[in-house]
Amino acid sequence: MYSFKNDYSEGTHPNILRKLLESNDEQLEGYGLDRYCEEAKVHIKRHFKCDKSDIHFLSGGTQTNLIALSSFLRPHEAAISANTGHVLVHETGAIEATGHKVISVEVKDGKLNPTHIQGVLDYHSDEHMVKPKLVYISNPTEIGSIYSYDELKALNECCRMNNLFLFVDGARLGSALTSKENDLKPEHLTTLTDAYYIGATKNGGLLGESLVINNEILKSEFRYLMKQKGALLAKGRLIGIQYTELFKENLYFELASYANELADKLRNGIVKAGYNFLSDSPTNQIFPVLPDKIIERLSEEFNFYVWEKVDDNQSAIRLVTSWATHSDEVEKFIKLLK
Amino acid sequence: MYSFKNDYSEGTHPNILRKLLESNDEQLEGYGLDRYCEEAKVHIKRHFKCDKSDIHFLSGGTQTNLIALSSFLRPHEAAISANTGHVLVHETGAIEATGHKVISVEVKDGKLNPTHIQGVLDYHSDEHMVKPKLVYISNPTEIGSIYSYDELKALNECCRMNNLFLFVDGARLGSALTSKENDLKPEHLTTLTDAYYIGATKNGGLLGESLVINNEILKSEFRYLMKQKGALLAKGRLIGIQYTELFKENLYFELASYANELADKLRNGIVKAGYNFLSDSPTNQIFPVLPDKIIERLSEEFNFYVWEKVDDNQSAIRLVTSWATHSDEVEKFIKLLK
Amino acid sequence: MYSFKNDYSEGTHPNILRKLLESNDEQLEGYGLDRYCEEAKVHIKRHFKCDKSDIHFLSGGTQTNLIALSSFLRPHEAAISANTGHVLVHETGAIEATGHKVISVEVKDGKLNPTHIQGVLDYHSDEHMVKPKLVYISNPTEIGSIYSYDELKALNECCRMNNLFLFVDGARLGSALTSKENDLKPEHLTTLTDAYYIGATKNGGLLGESLVINNEILKSEFRYLMKQKGALLAKGRLIGIQYTELFKENLYFELASYANELADKLRNGIVKAGYNFLSDSPTNQIFPVLPDKIIERLSEEFNFYVWEKVDDNQSAIRLVTSWATHSDEVEKFIKLLK
Amino acid sequence: MYSFKNDYSEGTHPNILRKLLESNDEQLEGYGLDRYCEEAKVHIKRHFKCDKSDIHFLSGGTQTNLIALSSFLRPHEAAISANTGHVLVHETGAIEATGHKVISVEVKDGKLNPTHIQGVLDYHSDEHMVKPKLVYISNPTEIGSIYSYDELKALNECCRMNNLFLFVDGARLGSALTSKENDLKPEHLTTLTDAYYIGATKNGGLLGESLVINNEILKSEFRYLMKQKGALLAKGRLIGIQYTELFKENLYFELASYANELADKLRNGIVKAGYNFLSDSPTNQIFPVLPDKIIERLSEEFNFYVWEKVDDNQSAIRLVTSWATHSDEVEKFIKLLK
C-alpha cells in the first residue's frame, strides 16, 4: 500500500549512498572533525551566506532542539512557541527535561508574530514566573504554512528590541525555501535569526540536521553540550558526507522542489475535486478536509494520517510528499478521490 | 599515515552498505517500528538467548548510557563505576546532566568486584548522601580487560543481595566475547545482568548500540525516554538494517574476532621486541609501554594516542585494531618497532 | 497603610513565638528528627485520620510542589493542572526545572474535573508526547474556589481508573476546610488523595508546609529528595514546634475560620455596595470588580493587588484576609467603598 | 545527656527571638523585600565591605550551594572540590541533581591549592570531559581547618588566570574568621572571591545563609533561581530579622568567638590528657583520636559522633561547640576524659 504518511519513509538519495560507498575505506577523524564535515560546512556557508556562523551536525530535530535550547538558556529562562510547535507537544517534554518551560501561544495558522510575543512578555512580569528568552518558530510550520520575509523581519526586530533569541526549527526548511509562495532567501535566515537548522532527515538524508549558530554569544563551547547529550557521533562522517552531497551543488533544493511540486499536484487535484483544506499550506504537507466515507475508501489503497475530526461527517487528513514520492501514485490518489 | 587510533576510523562493513542500497526504496514505518528493526531483534534474541528481553536501538554509547541510567534511577539514586569508567570521565558529565551522581571506585585493572561495591554501600549510610543503586561496568573495560564468568556471576550475586541493578556498557562487547581469554557466553549477559548493550559503532557499523533490558521492572515505557532525549531516529531502519546484517549469521562475532587477531599479532610482536604493557588486555585495545624516542619515530609513520607518561623516558601508547585494520600495516608497525 | 495584599504580611501567632522561646535551650536532634516534629505528626494524624500516612515538614509551597512532583514522577511523566494552577505560572518553572512538563487545562473556576482529565489522556496517545501521570489541584484554588466532597470523589475515581496520582496543593487548606460552603472533612483528603499538604505559612506560621503522603508507593526514601533539593532544615524543630502549636488543639482551624469570617464581612460589604466578583470565592481571597476610579481612591488608603482589567473602566482587585487581619480595618475599607 | 554533636542543637540567640516578637505585628512585604532584609544588608555590607555586592538570604547550606552553582554554571561546566567537600558527599547529590558534576580532588587537610586546581585543568582537555569552571572551598573546611590570607590570595590568582569562579561555603564562616589562627579579614572574602556565604544556622540563627555575590556577571536575575528552587520564603522577614540582629553590632562574631573559645578549652584539655587529633582544627569542630574503650565510657554521658576508625583500638570522634555550649559541660567532659 503506497504511503503519503510522512517524508521519511524511504532510505536516502542514491548519491549519498554512492558517496558513502566511495569513501568507506578512508580512515577519518571521529566526532565530526573529518574532512567531509569540513567540506559540508564550506558548501552550506556558500548557500546560506553564513561565513561567520558556527555549524554543527546533529541527528534529528528533537535532539537539535533540546541541545540548542538548553545551551542557549539559563535555568530560569523559557522558550515561546506557537501552540502547534513541535517542541511543545511532540517531543515528550524534551525541552522541559533539560529544565526549561515552553510557553504556549494560541495561534491560528501555526505562526508567531510580534503581538503574540509582546503579550507573553507583558504577562511575565517578575521573578515568580519564568523569563521568556527565546522565540521558537518552525519554517515551514507544523501545519505547512511558511513565514514571509516581512514576517521574519518583524520577528527579528521584536526579538532584538526585547533581548530575545530567535530560533528556527528547519526540519523541513527545504520545503519552505522552495515553496512557490516563499520570498525568503537562504541568507535571510542567517541575517535575521540567532540560530536555525537545515534538516536533511526529511529531505533525502538518512539522518541529520545542520545547526547554524549566527549569534556570537551562543557559539561558545557548543560541542560540549552535544557530547553531554549523546549527540556527538563517533563516525561523524556519516552526516558530513550527506551534507556534502546535498549542498555541493543544489541537490538539497532540487529534492525539496520536487516534493513541493508533487504536493502542488495533489493539492490541485483535491481542489478540482471540490474539497477544502484545514490550513493554507504551500509546502509538502497538506491537510485536505474530506468526508469520512471517502477517507475510508482512500485508506484501503493509501497510507496516511487522519489528522483531526472536523465535524460529524468530515475529517482532515495529512498527506506528505517527499523527494521519493512517485508521481504516478499521486495521480492514482487523485483519480481515486474523484 | 595509517591509523591505529581507534576502531571507528573507517566506514562500515560492505554488507551493510549493500543492504542499505537494496532496501533503499522500500517505504517503511519510522521511529524503529520497521520490519528490519523487528528482524534484527529476532536475530539478537537468538544469539543472546534473550527472548523475554526488550531490545532498543540507539545511536552511540554516551546516548545509551545516559538514557538507560536516567530511566532506571530515581532522582536520589547513583551509579557506581570504576574510576576508569567511560561514564565517569569521558562523557562530559552526561549522567550528571540527567541529575545523577556517578560514584567513583579506585581500581587497578578497570574492573569492579563485590568488595568494591560493599565498600560503597557501607559508606553511603543515610539520606545525606546519594543512594547507590546501579553498578556500571564495561566489558571489555576502558583499558581492555575483560570480566570472566565467575567475576560477572559474583557481581550478579552481590547486586541481587543488595538490591542493585547491574548494567554492562558493551560498546566493544564483540571484542570481549571473542577474546581468547573469554569464558563468557552471550547468554550469560542475559542471565546475569539487568541490562547490557551490544555496540556496533566500534565493530563494523556506521552507528548503533542495541540495548537489551532483561529486568522486567526496567522495561516500562522506555521509548518515552528515548524520544525525550532525542534518540528515536525517524529512519530507525538505518540501525535495524545494520543489526540485521551483523546478526543474521555471525558477522558481528567474525568482525570482532578479526580485530582481536590483529591485536594479538601486534601484541605478540611487541612482546617479542621486548616491551611490556600498561594493562593486561586480551582485546582489541592494547597499551604498550615504549621509550619516548621510539614513540616519536613510530609517530612519523603511524597515527595513535599517547596514553600516559610512565616515567621520564617512557610512555604508554594505545593501539586499537578493528574489523577494517590492514594486516600488512600491523606487520609494518612491528617491523618499524624492531 | 493597611494591607489586604496577602496572608503572609505579619509574623506568626503568639503561641508559636512563646513555644519557640520556651523550647529554645533544649538540645534537639537536627533535620526534622526532633521530638517536636514527632509530636506535631501525632496531632496531624489525629486531625486528618492519616495514621498510616508519612508526614514531612517543608518550608514553602513551591518547594513542596517541586520535591513531591519530582519524587513521584518518572522523567517522561507530566502533571495536569488547571490553567490557574500555581505550579503552572507562579513558580518560575520550578516543576520544569526538575524535568517535568505541566500540562495546562483551560478552566473557568479554577477547578479540574474528570472531563478535563479525560481530554488530556485522550490527546496524549503515544511516546512522542509526555505521559500524564499526576493531577495537581489546589484547594482552595488560586482564585478562591473550593472542591466539594463529590467533586474530589469524582477526581479520585477518575485518577484510580486511569492510574494517575491525585495531589492537593493545600497552601491555604485551612481556609478551604473552614469555609461556610465546605463539605469536605480533613479525613477525606486522606482517603481521596495520594498526597496533600497542609500549609502553615499562610495560616499563622512563620514558614512551613506539612506534606502528607498516603499512597504507599510514593513514600519510599522521600527524605533523600528533601535533602537533595535543600529542604531538610538543620533546625527542623522550627517547623515541628509550629505544627505542634497549630494542631495540638484546634488553633489551625480557628485561625483559618477567623480569616474566612473577615473575608465574609468584606464580601458582604462589597455586595451591599452593589458590586460583583470575578470568581465565586467562599474563602479568604476575594476578587471584587470595581470601577477604576474607586480602585484608585481605595489605593490611597489600602494596599492590595489589582488582579486584572475587566473592561475599559473596571478591574478586579484581590483582597486577602488572614488570622491577623484587623476587623476595624475591614470596616474602614467597606465604609470607604461606600 | 549533653550533646557535642553539632552546632545546631539549640534554638536561637535570645536577641533574635526578642526581635521576632517585637516586629511580629508589622505588616511587611513578602519574599525578602521587607525593611529588615534591607537593614540586614546594610549591616553586612559594612562588616564585609561589600557595598557593590548583591546579597541574598537563603535557608540552609545545601540550598545555597545548589542554587548558586546552578545559577553560575552552564550545563557542561563543573565544580572542583576537595574530597572532603560538603557538596561532594553530604548533600545527596544536590549539585548533580541540577546537572553538574563535582570533580573531587584528594587532599590531606581539607584544603584546595593552585596545584590541585592546575592538575584538574590539565586533565580536562576537551569536549569529551566536563569543563572545570568553579572552585568550591569551605572555610572552615569540613574538618575544621582554615584558609590563611595567603592561601586564599593564591586561589584567587589561580582562578583569575584560568577564568574560574572562586566560591566559598561559609556555613561556619564565623568560626573561621574568629579563630586564633585566622589572618583573613571579612573584607578579604569580598575582594578575593566571586561569591561566598555567611552562615547563621550554625552560629546562633534559626535558619539562614547570606549569599554575597561579588562578581558582576554572576548577579543577574539570581532571585529567579531562588524562586525556581523553592528558596524564596514568603516571610523573608524571618531571615532578615536574624541577620539584622547578628550584624547590627558584632553579635555574629561574638557568638563565633565564644564557640571557638570553648573548642580551645576542649582541645587544650584533650592535649593535656595526652591525646592527638585527626586534623589540625583551630575552629569549633575538633577531632580527637581516643581509645575505643574511653569513647565508650564518654558516650554514656555525652552525645557526639564517632567520626572514623583510626586503628584496631582507636577512633576519632567529632566534638562541636557553639554559641550555646555550656562551659561547665566542657569541664565535665575533660574531667571525665582524665
Side-chain angles (χ1 to χ4, degrees):
Chain A
M1 188 151 61
Y2 199 75
S3 172
F4 291 109
K5 221 171 145 183
N6 58 50
D7 34 16
Y8 42 86
S9 292
E10 290 87 359
T12 183
H13 191 271
N15 288 8
I16 286 174
L17 280 178
R18 190 177 310 127
K19 189 68 187 178
L20 283 175
L21 197 58
E22 263 178 48
S23 63
N24 196 42
D25 294 336
E26 286 182 58
Q27 287 191 316
L28 295 173
E29 276 297 298
Y31 301 110
L33 302 175
D34 62 277
R35 71 181 186 85
Y36 291 103
C37 285
E38 284 318 298
E39 187 180 340
K41 289 178 190 178
V42 170
H43 296 314
I44 289 172
K45 288 186 174 187
R46 191 177 69 245
H47 282 284
F48 286 83
K49 297 191 178 159
C50 57
D51 258 28
K52 294 182 178 161
S53 303
D54 278 3
I55 299 178
H56 301 281
F57 298 119
L58 296 109
S59 295
T62 298
Q63 186 182 77
T64 307
N65 289 331
L66 82 88
I67 294 176
L69 269 58
S70 67
S71 176
F72 299 167
L73 299 176
R74 289 187 61 204
H76 62 295
E77 293 174 345
I80 304 173
S81 165
N83 61 323
T84 43
H86 203 259
V87 286
L88 202 65
V89 279
H90 288 98
E91 301 186 352
T92 319
I95 307 302
E96 289 87 353
T98 69
H100 302 280
K101 188 181 182 74
V102 184
I103 299 165
S104 175
V105 180
E106 204 73 21
V107 303
K108 287 267 161 58
D109 55 358
K111 296 196 279 185
L112 285 179
N113 64 39
T115 307
H116 297 133
I117 292 165
Q118 195 57 52
V120 170
L121 294 176
D122 291 347
Y123 185 67
H124 290 79
S125 52
D126 69 14
E127 68 258 24
H128 292 254
M129 303 189 194
V130 292
K131 174 150 186 178
K133 182 67 186 173
L134 181 146
V135 173
Y136 166 93
I137 61 172
S138 303
N139 193 33
T141 68
E142 291 75 6
I143 55 170
S145 53
I146 61 173
Y147 284 85
S148 70
Y149 174 80
D150 287 344
E151 288 169 341
L152 194 64
K153 186 81 169 55
L155 282 175
N156 165 279
E157 280 162 16
C158 170
C159 287
R160 273 190 300 128
M161 267 175 42
N162 292 293
N163 202 20
L164 302 171
F165 300 126
L166 181 55
F167 178 81
V168 179
D169 176 331
R172 292 188 171 94
L173 189 61
S175 185
L177 293 179
T178 60
S179 164
K180 280 181 186 160
E181 297 190 7
N182 175 61
D183 70 347
L184 264 186
K185 293 181 184 165
E187 60 260 38
H188 293 147
L189 288 157
T190 304
T191 54
L192 296 177
T193 77
D194 294 286
Y196 61 96
Y197 61 96
I198 308 162
T201 312
K202 291 165 180 169
N203 192 32
L206 280 167
L207 85 171
E209 318 288 320
S210 287
L211 176 66
V212 181
I213 307 180
N214 305 311
N215 186 334
E216 202 59 42
I217 69 167
L218 300 180
K219 292 177 180 174
S220 163
E221 299 176 355
F222 193 81
R223 280 172 61 84
Y224 281 84
L225 271 288
M226 290 176 63
K227 177 63 188 170
Q228 185 182 67
K229 307 302 189 201
L232 218 50
L233 293 185
K235 295 185 180 171
R237 67 200 289 158
L238 173 59
I239 304 185
I241 285 167
Q242 293 182 67
Y243 277 96
T244 300
E245 286 304 303
L246 291 168
F247 284 102
K248 72 181 182 192
E249 290 171 8
N250 291 304
L251 185 59
Y252 186 80
F253 299 105
E254 290 162 15
L255 297 182
S257 285
Y258 176 83
N260 282 344
E261 277 162 30
L262 289 202
D264 291 346
K265 196 167 174 176
L266 260 179
R267 193 184 298 106
N268 293 336
I270 293 165
V271 167
K272 276 188 194 149
Y275 299 108
N276 292 316
F277 294 81
L278 189 70
S279 79
D280 181 32
S281 162
T283 56
N284 74 322
Q285 300 189 88
I286 60 174
F287 301 80
V289 176
L290 302 173
D292 291 335
K293 285 196 177 164
I294 290 183
I295 292 172
E296 206 175 316
R297 176 69 186 93
L298 291 166
S299 299
E300 288 164 15
E301 305 198 20
F302 293 94
N303 206 342
F304 50 81
Y305 277 111
V306 179
W307 198 250
E308 66 179 57
K309 210 130 186 67
V310 169
D311 60 31
D312 277 1
N313 307 310
Q314 297 183 100
S315 298
I317 64 171
R318 185 179 82 158
L319 301 174
V320 191
T321 58
S322 83
W323 65 277
T325 301
H326 292 184
S327 184
D328 55 343
E329 296 287 351
V330 168
E331 284 156 22
K332 276 169 61 183
F333 184 93
I334 293 170
K335 203 168 157 192
L336 181 62
L337 180 63
K338 289 172 182 164
Chain B
M1 187 150 62
Y2 199 76
S3 172
F4 290 109
K5 223 171 144 182
N6 57 52
D7 33 17
Y8 43 86
S9 292
E10 290 87 359
T12 183
H13 192 271
N15 287 7
I16 286 174
L17 279 178
R18 192 177 310 129
K19 190 67 186 180
L20 283 175
L21 197 57
E22 263 178 49
S23 64
N24 196 43
D25 294 337
E26 286 182 58
Q27 288 192 315
L28 295 173
E29 276 298 297
Y31 301 110
L33 302 175
D34 61 276
R35 70 180 186 87
Y36 291 104
C37 286
E38 285 317 298
E39 187 180 340
K41 289 177 190 178
V42 170
H43 296 314
I44 289 171
K45 288 185 175 187
R46 191 178 69 245
H47 282 285
F48 286 82
K49 298 190 179 160
C50 55
D51 257 28
K52 294 183 179 162
S53 303
D54 278 3
I55 300 178
H56 300 281
F57 298 120
L58 297 108
S59 295
T62 298
Q63 186 181 79
T64 307
N65 289 333
L66 82 89
I67 294 176
L69 269 57
S70 66
S71 177
F72 299 166
L73 299 176
R74 287 188 62 205
H76 62 294
E77 294 175 345
I80 305 172
S81 166
N83 60 324
T84 43
H86 204 258
V87 287
L88 201 66
V89 280
H90 288 99
E91 301 186 353
T92 319
I95 306 303
E96 289 87 352
T98 68
H100 302 281
K101 190 181 182 74
V102 183
I103 299 164
S104 175
V105 179
E106 205 73 22
V107 304
K108 286 268 162 60
D109 54 358
K111 295 195 279 183
L112 285 178
N113 64 39
T115 307
H116 297 133
I117 292 166
Q118 195 56 53
V120 170
L121 294 176
D122 291 346
Y123 184 67
H124 289 78
S125 53
D126 69 14
E127 68 259 24
H128 292 255
M129 304 188 194
V130 293
K131 174 150 185 179
K133 182 67 186 172
L134 180 146
V135 173
Y136 166 95
I137 63 171
S138 303
N139 192 33
T141 69
E142 292 74 6
I143 56 171
S145 53
I146 61 173
Y147 284 86
S148 70
Y149 173 80
D150 287 343
E151 288 168 340
L152 193 63
K153 187 79 170 53
L155 283 175
N156 165 279
E157 279 162 15
C158 170
C159 286
R160 274 191 300 129
M161 268 176 41
N162 292 292
N163 202 19
L164 302 172
F165 300 126
L166 180 55
F167 178 82
V168 179
D169 176 331
R172 292 188 172 92
L173 188 60
S175 185
L177 294 179
T178 60
S179 163
K180 280 180 186 160
E181 298 190 6
N182 174 61
D183 68 349
L184 264 185
K185 292 180 186 167
E187 60 260 39
H188 293 147
L189 287 155
T190 303
T191 54
L192 297 177
T193 77
D194 294 285
Y196 61 95
Y197 61 96
I198 309 162
T201 312
K202 292 166 180 167
N203 192 32
L206 280 167
L207 84 171
E209 317 290 318
S210 287
L211 177 66
V212 181
I213 307 180
N214 306 312
N215 186 334
E216 203 60 42
I217 70 168
L218 299 180
K219 291 177 180 176
S220 165
E221 299 177 355
F222 193 81
R223 279 173 61 83
Y224 281 86
L225 271 288
M226 290 176 63
K227 176 63 187 171
Q228 185 182 68
K229 306 302 189 202
L232 220 49
L233 293 185
K235 295 185 180 172
R237 67 201 286 157
L238 174 58
I239 304 186
I241 285 167
Q242 294 182 67
Y243 277 95
T244 301
E245 287 304 305
L246 290 169
F247 284 102
K248 71 181 183 192
E249 291 170 7
N250 290 306
L251 185 59
Y252 186 80
F253 299 105
E254 289 163 15
L255 297 182
S257 284
Y258 177 82
N260 282 345
E261 277 162 32
L262 290 203
D264 290 348
K265 196 167 173 175
L266 261 179
R267 192 184 299 104
N268 294 337
I270 293 164
V271 167
K272 277 188 193 150
Y275 299 108
N276 293 317
F277 294 82
L278 189 68
S279 78
D280 180 31
S281 162
T283 56
N284 74 321
Q285 301 187 87
I286 59 175
F287 301 80
V289 176
L290 302 173
D292 292 334
K293 284 198 178 162
I294 289 181
I295 292 172
E296 204 175 319
R297 176 68 187 94
L298 290 167
S299 299
E300 288 164 15
E301 305 198 19
F302 292 94
N303 206 343
F304 51 80
Y305 279 111
V306 179
W307 199 250
E308 65 177 59
K309 207 126 189 71
V310 170
D311 60 31
D312 278 359
N313 307 311
Q314 297 184 100
S315 299
I317 64 170
R318 183 179 83 157
L319 301 174
V320 191
T321 57
S322 83
W323 63 278
T325 300
H326 292 185
S327 185
D328 55 343
E329 296 288 349
V330 168
E331 283 156 23
K332 276 169 61 182
F333 184 94
I334 294 170
K335 202 168 156 192
L336 182 61
L337 179 64
K338 289 172 182 166
Chain C
M1 188 151 61
Y2 199 77
S3 172
F4 290 108
K5 224 172 143 183
N6 58 51
D7 34 16
Y8 43 85
S9 292
E10 290 87 359
T12 183
H13 191 271
N15 287 7
I16 286 173
L17 280 179
R18 191 175 311 128
K19 189 68 187 178
L20 284 175
L21 196 59
E22 264 178 48
S23 64
N24 196 44
D25 294 336
E26 285 182 59
Q27 287 192 316
L28 296 173
E29 275 298 296
Y31 300 110
L33 302 175
D34 61 276
R35 70 180 186 87
Y36 291 104
C37 285
E38 285 318 298
E39 187 181 340
K41 288 178 190 177
V42 170
H43 296 313
I44 289 171
K45 288 185 175 187
R46 191 178 68 244
H47 283 284
F48 287 82
K49 297 191 179 160
C50 56
D51 258 28
K52 293 183 179 161
S53 303
D54 278 3
I55 300 178
H56 300 283
F57 299 119
L58 297 108
S59 295
T62 298
Q63 186 182 78
T64 307
N65 289 332
L66 82 89
I67 294 176
L69 269 58
S70 67
S71 176
F72 298 166
L73 300 175
R74 288 188 62 203
H76 62 295
E77 295 174 342
I80 305 173
S81 166
N83 61 323
T84 43
H86 203 259
V87 287
L88 201 66
V89 280
H90 288 98
E91 301 187 352
T92 319
I95 306 303
E96 290 86 352
T98 69
H100 301 281
K101 191 182 181 72
V102 183
I103 299 166
S104 175
V105 180
E106 204 73 22
V107 303
K108 285 268 162 59
D109 55 357
K111 295 195 279 184
L112 286 178
N113 64 40
T115 308
H116 297 134
I117 292 166
Q118 195 57 52
V120 170
L121 295 175
D122 291 347
Y123 185 68
H124 289 79
S125 52
D126 69 13
E127 68 259 24
H128 291 255
M129 304 188 195
V130 292
K131 174 149 187 181
K133 184 65 187 174
L134 179 146
V135 174
Y136 166 94
I137 61 170
S138 303
N139 194 32
T141 69
E142 293 74 7
I143 54 169
S145 53
I146 60 174
Y147 284 85
S148 69
Y149 173 80
D150 286 344
E151 288 169 340
L152 194 64
K153 187 80 170 53
L155 283 175
N156 165 278
E157 279 162 15
C158 170
C159 287
R160 273 190 300 129
M161 269 174 42
N162 291 293
N163 202 18
L164 301 172
F165 300 126
L166 180 56
F167 178 82
V168 180
D169 176 331
R172 292 188 172 93
L173 189 59
S175 184
L177 293 180
T178 60
S179 163
K180 280 180 186 159
E181 298 190 6
N182 175 62
D183 68 348
L184 264 186
K185 292 181 187 166
E187 59 260 40
H188 293 147
L189 288 156
T190 303
T191 53
L192 296 177
T193 78
D194 294 286
Y196 62 94
Y197 60 96
I198 308 163
T201 311
K202 291 164 180 169
N203 192 33
L206 280 167
L207 84 171
E209 317 289 319
S210 287
L211 177 66
V212 181
I213 306 179
N214 305 311
N215 186 332
E216 202 60 42
I217 70 167
L218 300 180
K219 290 179 181 175
S220 164
E221 300 177 356
F222 194 81
R223 280 173 61 84
Y224 281 85
L225 271 288
M226 290 177 62
K227 176 64 188 171
Q228 186 183 67
K229 306 302 189 204
L232 219 49
L233 293 185
K235 295 185 180 173
R237 65 199 289 156
L238 173 59
I239 304 186
I241 285 167
Q242 295 183 67
Y243 276 95
T244 300
E245 288 303 304
L246 290 168
F247 284 102
K248 72 181 181 191
E249 291 171 8
N250 290 306
L251 185 60
Y252 186 80
F253 298 106
E254 288 162 14
L255 297 182
S257 284
Y258 176 83
N260 282 345
E261 278 163 30
L262 290 203
D264 291 347
K265 196 167 173 176
L266 261 180
R267 193 184 299 105
N268 293 337
I270 294 165
V271 167
K272 277 189 194 150
Y275 299 109
N276 293 316
F277 293 81
L278 190 69
S279 79
D280 181 31
S281 161
T283 54
N284 73 321
Q285 300 188 87
I286 59 175
F287 301 80
V289 176
L290 303 173
D292 291 336
K293 282 197 179 163
I294 288 180
I295 292 172
E296 206 175 317
R297 176 70 187 93
L298 291 166
S299 298
E300 289 165 15
E301 305 196 21
F302 293 94
N303 207 342
F304 51 80
Y305 278 111
V306 179
W307 198 251
E308 67 179 56
K309 208 127 188 68
V310 170
D311 61 30
D312 278 1
N313 306 309
Q314 298 184 99
S315 299
I317 64 171
R318 183 179 80 158
L319 301 175
V320 191
T321 58
S322 83
W323 64 279
T325 301
H326 293 185
S327 185
D328 55 343
E329 296 287 350
V330 169
E331 284 156 23
K332 276 169 61 181
F333 185 92
I334 294 170
K335 203 167 155 191
L336 182 62
L337 180 63
K338 289 172 181 163
Chain D
M1 187 151 62
Y2 199 77
S3 171
F4 290 108
K5 221 171 147 183
N6 58 51
D7 33 17
Y8 42 85
S9 292
E10 290 88 359
T12 184
H13 192 271
N15 287 6
I16 286 173
L17 279 178
R18 192 177 309 130
K19 190 67 186 178
L20 284 175
L21 196 57
E22 263 178 49
S23 64
N24 196 43
D25 294 336
E26 285 182 59
Q27 286 193 317
L28 295 174
E29 276 298 297
Y31 300 110
L33 301 175
D34 62 276
R35 70 180 186 86
Y36 291 103
C37 284
E38 284 319 297
E39 188 181 337
K41 288 178 190 177
V42 170
H43 296 314
I44 289 171
K45 287 185 175 186
R46 192 177 68 244
H47 282 286
F48 285 82
K49 296 190 179 160
C50 56
D51 257 28
K52 293 183 179 159
S53 303
D54 278 2
I55 299 178
H56 300 282
F57 298 119
L58 297 109
S59 295
T62 298
Q63 186 183 77
T64 307
N65 289 332
L66 82 89
I67 295 176
L69 269 58
S70 67
S71 176
F72 299 166
L73 299 175
R74 289 187 62 205
H76 62 294
E77 294 175 343
I80 305 172
S81 165
N83 61 323
T84 44
H86 203 259
V87 287
L88 201 65
V89 280
H90 288 99
E91 302 187 351
T92 319
I95 306 303
E96 290 87 352
T98 69
H100 302 280
K101 191 182 179 72
V102 183
I103 300 164
S104 176
V105 180
E106 204 74 22
V107 303
K108 288 267 161 60
D109 55 358
K111 295 195 280 184
L112 286 178
N113 64 38
T115 308
H116 298 134
I117 293 166
Q118 196 56 54
V120 171
L121 295 176
D122 291 347
Y123 184 67
H124 289 79
S125 52
D126 68 15
E127 68 259 22
H128 292 255
M129 303 188 194
V130 293
K131 175 151 185 178
K133 182 67 185 173
L134 180 146
V135 173
Y136 165 94
I137 62 170
S138 303
N139 193 35
T141 69
E142 292 73 6
I143 55 170
S145 52
I146 62 174
Y147 284 86
S148 69
Y149 173 81
D150 287 344
E151 288 169 340
L152 193 64
K153 187 77 168 58
L155 283 175
N156 165 280
E157 278 161 17
C158 170
C159 287
R160 273 190 300 129
M161 270 175 40
N162 292 293
N163 202 18
L164 302 171
F165 300 126
L166 180 56
F167 178 81
V168 179
D169 176 332
R172 292 190 172 93
L173 188 61
S175 184
L177 292 180
T178 60
S179 162
K180 280 182 186 160
E181 296 190 8
N182 175 62
D183 69 348
L184 264 186
K185 292 180 186 167
E187 60 259 39
H188 293 147
L189 288 156
T190 304
T191 54
L192 296 177
T193 77
D194 293 286
Y196 61 94
Y197 60 97
I198 308 162
T201 311
K202 291 165 181 168
N203 192 31
L206 280 167
L207 84 172
E209 318 290 318
S210 287
L211 176 66
V212 181
I213 307 179
N214 306 310
N215 187 333
E216 201 60 41
I217 69 167
L218 300 180
K219 291 177 180 175
S220 164
E221 300 177 354
F222 193 81
R223 280 172 61 83
Y224 281 85
L225 271 287
M226 289 176 63
K227 176 64 188 170
Q228 186 181 67
K229 307 301 187 201
L232 218 50
L233 293 185
K235 296 185 180 171
R237 67 199 289 156
L238 173 59
I239 304 185
I241 285 166
Q242 295 182 67
Y243 276 95
T244 301
E245 287 303 304
L246 291 168
F247 284 102
K248 72 181 182 191
E249 291 172 6
N250 290 306
L251 185 59
Y252 186 80
F253 299 106
E254 288 162 15
L255 298 182
S257 284
Y258 176 82
N260 282 345
E261 277 162 32
L262 290 203
D264 290 347
K265 196 166 173 175
L266 262 179
R267 193 184 298 106
N268 292 338
I270 294 165
V271 168
K272 277 189 195 150
Y275 298 108
N276 292 317
F277 293 82
L278 189 69
S279 79
D280 180 31
S281 162
T283 56
N284 74 320
Q285 300 188 88
I286 59 175
F287 301 80
V289 176
L290 303 173
D292 291 335
K293 285 198 177 161
I294 288 182
I295 292 172
E296 204 175 319
R297 176 69 187 94
L298 290 166
S299 300
E300 289 164 16
E301 305 198 20
F302 292 94
N303 206 342
F304 50 81
Y305 278 111
V306 179
W307 198 250
E308 65 178 59
K309 210 131 185 66
V310 170
D311 61 31
D312 278 359
N313 307 310
Q314 296 184 101
S315 298
I317 64 171
R318 184 179 82 158
L319 301 174
V320 191
T321 58
S322 83
W323 63 278
T325 301
H326 293 184
S327 185
D328 55 342
E329 297 286 352
V330 168
E331 284 157 23
K332 276 168 62 181
F333 185 93
I334 294 171
K335 203 167 156 191
L336 182 62
L337 180 64
K338 288 172 181 166

